[in-house]
Amino acid sequence: MDHGENPVSIELQEYAEPVPQLLKLISSNEVAGFDSIMEGETPVFPNPTNSSQPNGHQRKISISISMPSSPTGATSADTKNVLFVQDNAKGFKNGVPESCVGSKAKPKGVKFLSQPMPKGSVFGEGANMNQNPNVKKFKDKRFDSFKTWSGKLERQLTNLRGRQQESESEDDSVRPSENEALPVDRYFDALEGPELETLRASEEIVLPDDKTWPFLLRYPISSFGICLGVSSQAIMWKTLATATSTNFLHISLTVNLILWWISVALVAIVASIYLTKVVLYFEAVRREYYHPIRVNFFFAPWISLLFLAIGVPPSVASSLPVALWYVLMTPFLCLELKIYGQWMSGGQRRLSKVANPSNHLSVVGNFVGALLGASMGLKEGPIFFFAVGLAHYTVLFVTLYQRLPTNETLPKELHPVFFLFVAAPSVASMAWANIQGSFDYGSRIAYFIALFLYFSLAVRINFFRGFKFSLAWWAYTFPMTGAAIATMRYSSAVTNVVTQTLSVILSVVATLTVTALLVTTILHAFVQRDLFPNDIAIAISDRKPKSHRRWFNLIRHGSSEHNADIDTFLKFANGDTKDIEAGLKISSAEAK
Amino acid sequence: MIRSMASQRSQPEVNTPQSSRFTDRIKRSLSSILTKFHAGYFRISLSLGGQALLWKTLIGPTHDKSTLRHLVHKFHPTAFLVLWSFALFILILLSLLYILRCLFYFKMVKAEFLHHVGVNYLFAPWISWLLLLQSAPFATPKTTSYYVLWWFFAVPVVALDVKIYGQWFTKGKKFLSTVANPTSQISVIGNLVGALAAASMGWKESAVCLFSLGMVHYLVLLVTLYQRFSGSDRIPAMLRPVFFLFFAAPSVASLAWESITGAFDIASKMLFFLSLFLFISLVCRPALFRRSMRRFNVAWWAYSFPLTILALASTEYAEEVKGSIAHLLMLLLLALSVLVSLGLTIFTLLNTRMLLPDNDPISTLHHLPTVSP
């Protein structure tokens, strides 16, 4: 991307350009009610810490950290209590919650007037609160670099309430380097793993890794995967109830209704939490956008909305207005213009470098949009998106099948992300069937490709082991559900025992997977309480750690790199003419 | 270097009469033109040929009953004749120059052939001739002279195909992954234009043959170009306008398929939409073209042909779909292509001196293997 090539300190506003679209549309589509979905996060709400409140300091010292996004007051009362630990008691404005609920056009700033801005949240660690306030202040500030405009937004908002403003001169040391776009190479160098989540041993992060970070900083965009998973389930149960070939099962539409409302709620919750993150921690959102894998999840909100529209129960709305399709597809179009353009222009984010199975999320949305449009009766628009999706899917599919050596992000072992391979052909087959009016040869070809990929992954189920659970796994369930739905469509066209059995089996498998995932999620949320671990991937530093530190790490870890380094060091020390080249090579390697 | 050798050949003697000094000066300027000239200059004739085809389609018979088409229909046939003659004149001029270059500076032509960007422009003359043939105001497609001319122009295209496409997957140093660059799509366009012309003659089989050749290689090329193994350093920044070829190829494919099947069906629509998407995608990235827009050079003509072909495809689409949005799109693209072509023509006529610069990317690339201006 061009941005990466011009490492000039750029104003945040420039990067805010792609985001406003998202902002506008999320806020107009979502109910503005916040809720804390993860009750497991209540440890976030600290014990009322009246004790260790140093007085006469800026409100930064306030340890009252609720999720700032709960003006509805729906959360427990203790949060409200905590909020009053302030210098001036202009605390919680009780009038605000009512105005928040249900209003769409409310300016974002108002939502947070009710709460003090949690500067440098210190969570649940009572010990820290007794420390020297200056140390605490320093630590709190370290999260500032991730806040929108490095915390200036919060200061502005608190200024609106007439609080005292302290000088922020100490921030300058932390801030400057964080405002530049991280080149994609940094992500590849610093992270590893199939989802590029784990930090390499030699890297360090810019946020403290021994503390739990603020909740919003730990809330990744891949949480939208839950919306994808559940809303696709709603569609599946709707198809089960309405498809002719599965009539023998006598499934009622109530299941679809329930699941649909749950999905709506989920989408609203997740979107509003993420919207809060966008407003408060814009820098973190930017870093997620530049992450080569997370960027694909930026398509997930739009795909979820499309799924909601496809899966709408007949009792809620028998037909949707056509304008809705245009409204949903416009931000999607803008986003994909940006991402595909990056692939084509051959900069640092070109496809041969960043291709990974999550890219399927960027492509499958085209087919989902085509499916929805065609089912609404539109003609040209769906064909447009189908064509674009098909061309780019071909490119992506070939690239991923090639497993290019220049490609670093493909996991060597199997990982649930590979199920995304099944998503695009199955949705494409349904979309084509809707466009053409019947499940013709084109759809069948696509469907069989999807089926083949599904089975070739299913028989390797033994290799899907040993991976750390993450919320993104929800996103990988929707291909299974999609394959089940496509099978049902196919069996409606070709009705015999085999196809019907297959559709039942696939639906059962999909439901079981989703249930298992739900159980795991709940386990992680409440029992292990690590559903949202510190999001290392966004906190990588913008340059490699210094060589002396690397040397220190090598000594500590004693890896094989150590030996190689010793060799080169010795060669260098000899001072031969031949070794001048070795010396030069060392210096270039160090300088890298 | 070759240029200095050329100037030595035309070294004037001291005591020659006025006329031979004059002829020597002509010879010198001619040789300097010939040395700087290369196949990339056929972009001009490509664009003009494209415009001629566009206007011939617009004033031709149509099922489109909209007012817009009516308005355009009023374009005077004489004006079209003038346009076509101008295009013919330019093409003849360029072809003559290139023939002279082949005769006198064959080594340079050979160097062009061996260069990964220059070789693709060797298709350009034949494409231009095919376009002009198809847009000729007097030639009817089913006459013998038309057939003969089609053969004359299509055979070199196929010959070049065999050579270049074969190299892609057989020859060591010229594998596709190393030589692929956006101008490689010109070879695909060549096949597709040949198919277009063949279908208008009624020769369905040749048309389908050329179409399938073009599409198969387009598929391979699309994937390779999107992958961008070596990043954008395969072409110098001054040649960035050739990125517009990304949406030229699907547009020509859409037109060719329409000629073959007789109607603008779903496959043509899909190709048209793909090219529209790529067009919007490129237009949204002006930064990509900034470096190439600093100084006028013949690469700017690379903007015109793709726009013209896209406009042509959009007129066919509007004729098929008959909606107001489609006609609006057609109007927009028509206006854009006419403006760009006109602008480029005027700019070129005003700046003929700059047309043959010393540091043109393709001609200088013969001397240095990789150069970035």
Side-chain angles (χ1 to χ4, degrees), chain A residues 571-592:
Chain A
K571 261 198 273 182
F572 180 60
N574 277 344
D576 229 23
T577 45
K578 203 167 32 164
D579 295 326
I580 290 179
E581 290 167 27
L584 287 172
K585 276 194 202 118
I586 291 178
S587 54
S588 66
E590 299 285 68
K592 231 189 101 159

Side-chain angles (χ1 to χ4, degrees), chain A residues 186-489:
Chain A
R186 275 304 299 149
Y187 286 98
F188 287 134
D189 289 338
L191 298 166
E192 58 186 359
E195 289 170 353
L196 277 187
E197 300 272 330
T198 32
L199 197 65
R200 285 192 209 263
S202 54
E203 294 288 332
E204 49 186 23
I205 56 174
V206 299
L207 293 178
D209 52 1
D210 49 347
K211 295 178 10 186
T212 318
W213 301 351
F215 174 71
L216 284 181
L217 271 184
R218 292 182 280 135
Y219 194 79
I221 182 101
S222 27
S223 321
F224 277 101
I226 308 180
C227 310
L228 282 178
V230 180
S231 44
S232 58
Q233 280 287 306
I235 302 178
M236 187 183 89
W237 286 94
K238 179 181 179 184
T239 321
L240 268 175
T242 54
T244 51
S245 59
T246 48
N247 270 343
F248 66 94
L249 292 169
H250 300 294
I251 312 264
S252 89
L253 274 169
T254 328
V255 188
N256 164 239
L257 191 66
I258 297 172
L259 278 173
W260 192 80
W261 280 112
I262 294 179
S263 332
V264 169
L266 270 175
V267 170
I269 292 165
V270 174
S272 34
I273 297 178
Y274 203 76
L275 186 61
T276 321
K277 183 179 179 181
V278 167
V279 169
L280 282 188
Y281 286 99
F282 188 66
E283 176 64 29
V285 172
R286 258 182 70 206
R287 277 162 168 258
E288 278 201 289
Y289 181 74
Y290 290 125
H291 189 283
I293 294 191
R294 298 276 183 87
V295 66
N296 301 301
F297 282 90
F298 279 85
F299 285 89
W302 314 109
I303 303 180
S304 320
L305 290 173
L306 288 169
F307 277 161
L308 282 180
I310 296 175
V312 64
S315 46
V316 172
S318 55
S319 70
L320 294 165
V322 168
L324 178 68
W325 187 82
Y326 287 105
V327 163
L328 285 177
M329 293 310 283
T330 311
F332 186 85
L333 181 66
C334 299
L335 191 56
E336 71 174 2
L337 275 173
K338 177 90 175 136
I339 303 291
Y340 297 164
Q342 277 179 348
W343 292 359
M344 181 166 63
S345 64
Q348 52 162 325
R349 286 172 199 277
R350 57 184 181 272
L351 192 59
S352 53
K353 233 175 132 164
V354 304
N356 63 82
S358 323
N359 285 127
H360 280 289
L361 280 172
S362 341
V363 174
V364 87
N366 290 304
F367 296 124
V368 179
L371 177 61
L372 177 63
S375 62
M376 282 179 171
L378 293 167
K379 212 56 178 84
E380 303 302 312
I383 299 180
F384 177 87
F385 281 102
F386 192 87
V388 171
L390 188 62
H392 292 92
Y393 176 65
T394 318
V395 172
L396 182 65
F397 189 71
V398 173
T399 312
L400 288 174
Y401 243 98
Q402 282 175 335
R403 311 252 352 206
L404 296 168
T406 52
N407 188 311
E408 310 170 33
T409 51
L410 281 179
K412 303 287 181 298
E413 55 285 306
L414 283 180
H415 182 269
V417 74
F418 276 85
F419 269 100
L420 281 177
F421 269 94
V422 179
S426 48
V427 183
S429 79
M430 289 189 281
W432 190 249
N434 273 7
I435 290 175
Q436 293 292 80
S438 69
F439 208 85
D440 67 347
Y441 286 125
S443 307
R444 289 180 202 199
I445 290 175
Y447 169 66
F448 290 134
I449 294 176
L451 209 58
F452 170 75
L453 290 169
Y454 192 118
F455 282 133
S456 65
L457 285 172
V459 299
R460 293 184 165 78
I461 200 74
N462 277 334
F463 298 119
F464 288 101
R465 282 170 197 254
F467 294 107
K468 189 171 177 311
F469 173 75
S470 84
L471 265 182
W473 286 27
W474 279 93
Y476 311 142
T477 61
F478 96 84
M480 281 192 236
T481 322
I485 303 173
T487 313
M488 283 184 251
R489 285 292 301 259

